[in-house]
């Protein structure tokens, strides 16, 4: 990009509630040391956006005109990383401050991903959204705005820098970032064309599947899963990411699907700082197609274990081409699916053995979602809940009662279904 340099709008940062005390002391120190060494240096990106909006930043990124080797000379505690884009990590105990050199957009001809260093205004223009391209100098207390990010912050608008179609084509992941930021910040997407994301969505199939896996986790494991799912559906991106689940999208608006319950429960767990796992998430994301296909095979007389395995193989084969779910998640994910039919088998020692198995808990939690969504017997779920809570003697009694009244259970279920 060899456009004429643009002059920034410069404002006092305190107008936006940004003061040096709100910045990590180490990040301030990094900027100060670079400036003392004669280089310009700023904080940039998500941290400035979040501070201006009153949120706590996740991390603090520094950009400077110093080249990576020069950065290393300034800091003894700096390490150069990255092959495509070399940048420095400056380590202070457990905190790492990332320091990057101003970059220009890669040129269409020679841009094979190597470092293309640039000026600060070029660095601003190669970023994705205007609100992500604000530069803050904590020493002077100034914000430099090259692309109108401050006005967009005030208007709560998420605007692509430059021509949206061009920038989405250049990196289709920006579409997912657009959805994610619009949802998280509750900003309006500034686009001339409402159908732009729907139209360009299929370009996501050109993205390396490992990168999409990371993006999907940011969408669904950061506390906004339900809202992100709805926004992705609205822009016809969900079906692009999860082709096996695409035919089920319309049906989810009853808020009744296993997927919706899983997403809501993920959000809840994040709020409570409880752990979440991609295995469970992906099991839910693909549950509808997997369940339906497995049931169809079983109805055709295929043995359940084989049916689940076949369906899991086929579904994952299609899905993994787009999103690379690592084995350590896809293996337990298949188990969660296949184990759903084991809850029915409770006689003899079966219930005891299942309870002891490593995957019981995840499979049980999944059964809970299915019960909530109306897709599994609630009485069965309650039985397993109780089975975990009581001692061994009572467990034995539970299994024995079960043997005595198989008929009664069936009748009761039938009656209650008819009376609905
Ligand atoms: P988060 O809080 O999710 O980390 P962030 O804005 O810090 O938000 P990062 O992915 O950490 O997002 O990226 C840091 C900055 O790098 C962004 O603010 C943006 O300026 C720039 N950036 C990141 N990804 C892209 C992209 N795909 N295209 C252009 N610029 C990008
Ligand atoms: Mg960030």
């Amino acid at each position: 990009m060899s456009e004429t340099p643009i002059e920034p709008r410069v404002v006092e940062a305190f107008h936006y509630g940004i003061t040096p005390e709100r910045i990590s002391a180490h990040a301030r120190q990094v900027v100060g040391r670079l400036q003392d060494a004669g280089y310009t240096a700023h904080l940039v990106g998500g941290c400035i956006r979040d501070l201006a909006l009153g949120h706590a930043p996740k991390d603090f990124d520094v950009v400077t005109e110093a080249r990576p080797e020069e950065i290393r000379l300034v800091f003894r505690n700096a390490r150069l990383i990255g092959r495509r884009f070399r940048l420095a990590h400056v380590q202070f105990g457990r905190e790492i401050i990332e320091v990057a050199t101003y970059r220009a957009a890669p040129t269409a001809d020679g841009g094979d991903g190597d470092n293309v260093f640039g000026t600060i205004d070029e660095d601003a223009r190669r970023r994705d959204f205007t609100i992500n391209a604000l530069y803050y100098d904590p020493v002077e207390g100034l914000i430099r705005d090259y692309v109108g990010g401050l006005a967009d912050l005030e208007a709560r608008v998420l605007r692509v820098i430059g021509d949206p179609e061009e920038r989405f084509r250049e990196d289709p992941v920006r579409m997912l970032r657009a959805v994610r930021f619009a949802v998280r910040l509750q900003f309006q997407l500034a686009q001339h064309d409402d159908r732009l994301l729907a139209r360009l969505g299929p370009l996501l199939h050109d993205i390396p599947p490992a990168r999409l896996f990371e993006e999907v986790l940011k969408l669904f494991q950061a506390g906004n899963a339900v809202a992100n799912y709805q926004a992705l559906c609205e822009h016809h991106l969900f079906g692009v990411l999860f082709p096996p689940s695409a035919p089920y999208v319309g049906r989810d608006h009853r808020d009744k699907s296993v997927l919706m319950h899983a997403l809501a429960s993920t959000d809840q767990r994040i709020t409570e700082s409880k752990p979440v796992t991609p295995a469970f998430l992906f099991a839910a994301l693909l549950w509808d197609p997997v369940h339906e296909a497995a049931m169809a095979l079983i109805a055709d007389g295929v043995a359940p274990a084989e049916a689940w395995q076949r369906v899991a193989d086929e579904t994952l084969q299609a899905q993994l081409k787009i999103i690379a779910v690592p084995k350590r998640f896809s293996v337990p994910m298949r188990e969660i699916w296949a184990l759903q039919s084991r809850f029915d088998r409770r006689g003899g020692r079966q219930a005891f053995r299942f309870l002891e198995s490593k995957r019981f808990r995840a499979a049980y939690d999944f059964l809970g979602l299915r019960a909530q969504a109306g897709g599994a017997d609630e009485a069965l779920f309650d039985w397993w809940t109780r089975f975990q809570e009581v001692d061994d003697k009572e467990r034995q009694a539970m299994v024995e009662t079960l043997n005595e009244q198989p008929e009664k259970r069936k009748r009761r279920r039938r009656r209650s279904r008819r009376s609905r």
Side-chain angles (χ1 to χ4, degrees):
M1 222 187 268
S2 58
E3 290 160 34
T4 45
I6 21 173
E7 285 302 313
R9 178 180 164 207
V10 183
V11 299
E12 308 245 23
F14 71 81
H15 288 308
Y16 291 88
I18 300 179
T19 52
E21 308 82 73
R22 297 185 63 201
I23 306 289
S24 132
H26 295 135
R28 260 186 287 152
Q29 199 182 321
V30 167
V31 170
R33 294 256 300 273
L34 285 164
Q35 293 187 357
D36 290 344
Y39 304 107
T40 63
H42 293 84
L43 286 138
V44 70
C47 63
I48 304 308
R49 172 199 72 215
D50 289 347
L51 283 174
L53 291 169
H55 303 306
K58 275 204 306 236
D59 44 31
F60 295 90
D61 294 331
V62 173
V63 276
T64 175
E65 64 184 343
R67 300 294 169 97
E69 298 72 27
E70 296 172 321
I71 299 169
R72 193 171 45 189
L73 291 179
V74 176
F75 301 96
R76 257 186 315 156
N77 46 339
R79 241 168 13 101
L80 298 191
I81 61 144
R83 210 176 293 157
R84 287 187 64 210
F85 298 113
R86 297 224 295 158
L87 38 89
H89 274 177
V90 187
Q91 181 123 26
F92 300 88
R94 292 181 56 193
E95 190 180 13
I96 290 176
I97 306 294
E98 195 172 287
V99 188
T101 306
Y102 300 140
R103 267 174 20 213
T107 47
D109 48 335
D112 59 351
D114 285 343
N115 282 321
V116 190
F117 297 125
T119 58
I120 183 169
D121 62 297
E122 287 173 320
D123 187 79
R125 277 176 289 174
R126 62 105 188 152
R127 290 176 186 273
D128 48 6
F129 304 103
T130 62
I131 60 167
N132 283 350
L134 294 168
Y135 295 75
Y136 169 57
D137 178 341
V139 179
E140 293 177 297
L142 297 176
I143 292 178
R144 296 193 164 78
D145 175 8
Y146 295 85
V147 291
L150 288 172
D152 287 337
L153 259 188
E154 282 166 38
R156 304 185 71 82
V157 163
L158 188 68
R159 188 187 311 278
V160 175
I161 298 171
D163 177 62
E165 174 153 358
E166 208 171 286
R167 301 300 310 282
F168 287 145
R169 284 185 180 282
E170 187 179 82
D171 179 6
V173 167
R174 289 175 187 146
M175 294 188 276
L176 301 180
R177 293 173 61 84
V179 166
R180 181 160 61 86
F181 288 129
V183 163
R184 179 164 102 201
L185 309 171
Q186 299 191 295
F187 272 39
Q188 290 297 321
L189 282 177
Q191 268 154 209
H192 318 283
D193 170 6
D194 271 354
R195 307 263 318 150
L196 188 60
L197 296 189
R199 190 153 55 76
L200 301 180
L203 295 175
L204 285 167
H205 290 177
D206 301 334
I207 300 298
R211 186 172 176 211
L212 284 189
F213 177 72
E214 294 302 321
E215 289 302 320
V216 164
L217 293 192
K218 290 183 196 168
L219 284 160
F220 293 126
Q221 292 202 327
N224 291 318
V226 169
N228 278 328
Y229 171 72
Q230 284 162 341
L232 287 173
C233 290
E234 197 181 309
H235 293 286
H236 300 268
L237 295 176
F238 182 77
V240 173
L241 291 174
F242 297 94
S245 299
Y248 298 82
V249 164
R251 308 189 206 172
D252 292 338
H253 288 293
R254 298 166 304 165
D255 285 351
K256 274 230 142 215
S257 65
V258 169
L259 177 53
M260 283 305 266
H261 281 90
L263 298 178
S265 123
T266 304
D267 287 346
Q268 179 68 26
R269 291 180 68 89
I270 303 273
T271 311
E272 294 168 2
S273 305
K274 289 186 185 163
V276 291
T277 163
F280 198 81
L281 173 69
F282 278 83
L285 284 163
L286 295 169
W287 171 252
D288 282 328
V290 166
H291 180 238
E292 196 169 293
M295 289 303 116
L297 284 184
I298 292 167
D300 278 352
V302 179
E306 199 202 323
W308 282 104
Q309 188 170 332
R310 241 156 75 183
V311 167
D313 284 344
E314 279 163 23
T315 309
L316 283 176
Q317 207 196 12
Q319 184 62 59
L320 295 180
K321 280 188 198 135
I322 297 162
I323 300 177
V325 182
K327 269 240 159 60
R328 65 180 184 283
F329 302 126
S330 64
V331 169
M333 175 180 156
R334 301 168 66 116
E335 284 170 354
I336 289 172
W337 291 335
L339 288 174
Q340 292 308 302
S341 51
R342 259 202 73 180
F343 289 105
D344 291 324
R345 304 204 303 269
R346 293 172 286 175
R349 300 297 298 165
Q350 291 188 105
F352 287 90
R353 275 204 302 273
F354 190 16
L355 186 59
E356 278 160 24
S357 86
K358 212 172 79 189
R359 300 289 176 216
F360 174 82
R361 187 66 211 192
Y364 163 81
D365 286 344
F366 202 83
L367 179 72
L369 287 181
R370 295 178 53 217
Q372 275 179 30
D377 188 349
E378 248 173 275
L380 181 67
F381 179 67
D382 293 343
W383 189 94
W384 280 101
T385 306
R386 191 168 148 68
F387 192 69
Q388 292 173 78
E389 288 163 358
V390 299
D391 62 16
D392 241 29
K393 222 176 96 199
E394 207 154 330
R395 280 181 189 157
Q396 196 58 53
M398 283 177 78
V399 171
E400 277 159 21
T401 347
L402 202 66
N403 292 339
E404 284 161 19
Q405 350 172 281
E407 271 313 296
K408 211 165 156 197
R409 228 177 61 81
K410 259 190 201 157
R411 260 206 310 278
R412 208 185 307 134
R413 239 180 20 202
R414 232 180 259 145
R415 198 182 320 131
S416 69
R417 192 173 295 159
R418 210 181 304 132
S419 63
R420 244 183 255 154

